[in-house]
Amino acid sequence: MPLPFLLVGAAAAAGIGTHINAKKKNEEAQNLINSAERLYNNTKKILDIAKNKTETSLVGLEISKKKVLQSSMKQFLKAYSRVKKVQIKESEGLEELSKFSLTPSDIVQIQNMTNIYESNLKVGTIGAATGVALTALTTTTLAGAAGFASFLSPVAAVAAPALLFTGISASIKAEENLEKARVMYSETSIAVEKMKTAETMCNAINKRTEMFDDLLFSLNKIFAECARYMDSVTRSKVGLFKGWNIKPEKINEQEMKLIAITRALAGAVKAIIDTPVLGASGDLDSTSYDKYNEIKGQLQNFTLISNEVKSVNYGVKMLPARKA
């Protein structure tokens, strides 16, 4: 065979080989891109579920606080207004619980919180998106909501790499396409790790929020009963003169203990409401766990002492518990 024809054949074979090699590299590049897309989307889906669950928990805690402030706390404030000039003595057995006692400024703050919740949050109509907007309105007063408005920032879905999911170039530069795909996959892996970290944080926030919600529920169950007793006893003493304050000599030792324990319970409830689950940056507040343990550790004492004061026959008609 003449040499020129051999050279042409060799060139053609080389061209076919190069084309096959380029095709393989382009396929490898596209497979990397497809894999990166699946990895990113699957991780983002998991993060979105965790994020939505956490938002729901945070809004749920705010609603729980609102209900407490508009029910048991409101009943307590009404009863407390009748004895605010009385020097309340800390009864025996209340030493550990006296740290939760309220000051006059605490009472004012509770009243302000109640008013804000009453005007801004509507149970039954609040949703996750509404909760973000409405809670933002109360951040200057409600420590418990302080980090909520900024919550979306640290756990937002991490943006996909700029070139991701756009496909490879149609040009024959297969090596360049493969290199770009490798870079894209590497950037996707980094984004995925960030989303996994955000998911972990979401789960931690959700757990902490549920802990506080459960503790508030348990504590308020005790507080609501004591507030009802205190309201009944103090109302019976003012009689027809609703605006009058009760004189100290009109309160016996058993009634004084009821008032003291109810005030301490109100302080503990306020402490839960005041404690932010989230810090200013939207991360878990570093002090919230310690405050939770402090109050949780006194729950049994509160139960025992409140059962004691509720076993007393105060000789008055008991009023119903106030409902939100």
Side-chain angles (χ1 to χ4, degrees):
M1 182 181 293
L3 184 59
F5 286 102
L6 289 174
L7 292 175
V8 169
I16 292 171
T18 301
H19 181 76
I20 292 172
N21 188 45
K23 183 174 180 294
K24 286 182 178 179
K25 287 185 177 180
N26 279 335
E27 287 175 350
E28 184 181 350
Q30 191 61 59
N31 287 337
L32 273 174
I33 290 172
N34 293 342
S35 179
E37 182 177 12
R38 286 193 299 271
L39 179 62
Y40 179 88
N41 287 338
N42 288 341
T43 308
K44 183 178 181 298
K45 188 181 295 183
I46 293 171
L47 174 59
D48 286 343
I49 291 171
K51 180 171 164 288
N52 290 336
K53 186 178 180 182
T54 304
E55 285 178 355
T56 300
S57 294
L58 286 165
V59 171
L61 178 57
E62 291 306 308
I63 291 175
S64 295
K65 291 177 183 180
K66 173 196 181 293
K67 287 181 177 179
V68 170
L69 285 168
Q70 289 193 312
S71 56
S72 51
M73 192 62 80
K74 207 160 190 176
Q75 190 163 30
F76 164 76
L77 289 173
K78 198 166 188 177
Y80 192 79
S81 67
R82 303 180 187 122
V83 295
K84 60 185 177 183
K85 293 185 179 180
V86 175
Q87 186 67 37
I88 300 172
K89 300 174 184 177
E90 300 298 348
S91 302
E92 185 179 349
L94 291 181
E95 294 83 2
E96 280 296 311
L97 307 182
S98 62
K99 67 180 74 172
F100 298 111
S101 292
L102 300 170
T103 64
S105 62
D106 290 327
I107 297 295
V108 172
Q109 189 181 11
I110 292 171
Q111 186 64 63
N112 289 339
M113 286 191 289
T114 302
N115 293 339
I116 287 174
Y117 268 118
E118 215 162 32
S119 60
N120 287 331
L121 297 179
K122 307 294 182 184
V123 172
T125 61
I126 188 170
T130 310
V132 174
L134 292 179
T135 307
L137 295 175
T138 64
T139 53
T140 56
T141 305
L142 300 177
F148 192 65
S150 62
F151 169 68
L152 297 178
S153 176
V155 297
V158 181
L163 298 177
L164 191 59
F165 319 146
T166 58
I168 61 171
S169 170
S171 71
I172 199 66
K173 297 179 180 178
E175 192 64 47
E176 184 180 335
N177 284 334
L178 183 56
E179 182 56 32
K180 283 183 179 180
R182 286 169 177 163
V183 171
M184 282 186 238
Y185 193 90
S186 177
E187 290 176 353
T188 301
S189 297
I190 293 171
V192 163
E193 286 306 311
K194 288 180 180 179
M195 286 193 286
K196 285 181 178 179
T197 299
E199 181 205 346
T200 300
M201 187 171 73
C202 276
N203 292 336
I205 292 171
N206 183 58
K207 182 178 179 180
R208 185 73 54 86
T209 303
E210 289 180 346
M211 285 167 57
F212 269 89
D213 207 0
D214 290 344
L215 179 59
L216 181 59
F217 176 82
S218 299
L219 189 62
N220 186 60
K221 195 172 181 181
I222 305 167
F223 174 55
E225 271 295 283
C226 286
R228 182 170 75 92
Y229 273 65
M230 182 176 168
D231 188 19
S232 303
V233 169
T234 55
R235 180 174 290 192
S236 71
K237 291 185 179 295
V238 296
L240 297 175
F241 305 101
K242 304 297 183 187
W244 285 21
N245 294 127
I246 301 170
K247 294 180 180 180
E249 59 267 24
K250 294 286 186 179
I251 303 174
N252 62 39
E253 187 176 340
Q254 291 176 328
E255 294 164 345
M256 185 67 77
K257 189 167 187 176
L258 168 64
I259 294 169
I261 182 64
T262 308
R263 185 181 67 170
L265 277 162
V269 169
K270 180 182 181 295
I272 294 177
I273 292 173
D274 282 349
T275 303
V277 174
L278 303 179
S281 64
D283 296 324
L284 273 174
D285 184 88
S286 58
T287 63
S288 63
Y289 191 64
D290 291 337
K291 180 59 67 175
Y292 171 85
N293 284 331
E294 179 186 10
I295 299 171
K296 176 80 171 177
Q298 295 299 332
L299 196 58
Q300 186 175 3
N301 284 344
F302 275 126
T303 302
L304 292 173
I305 297 174
S306 64
N307 284 341
E308 180 186 337
V309 298
K310 286 188 296 183
S311 67
V312 175
N313 181 5
Y314 296 98
V316 299
K317 182 181 178 180
M318 286 298 161
L319 298 168
R322 187 182 179 101
K323 295 184 179 181

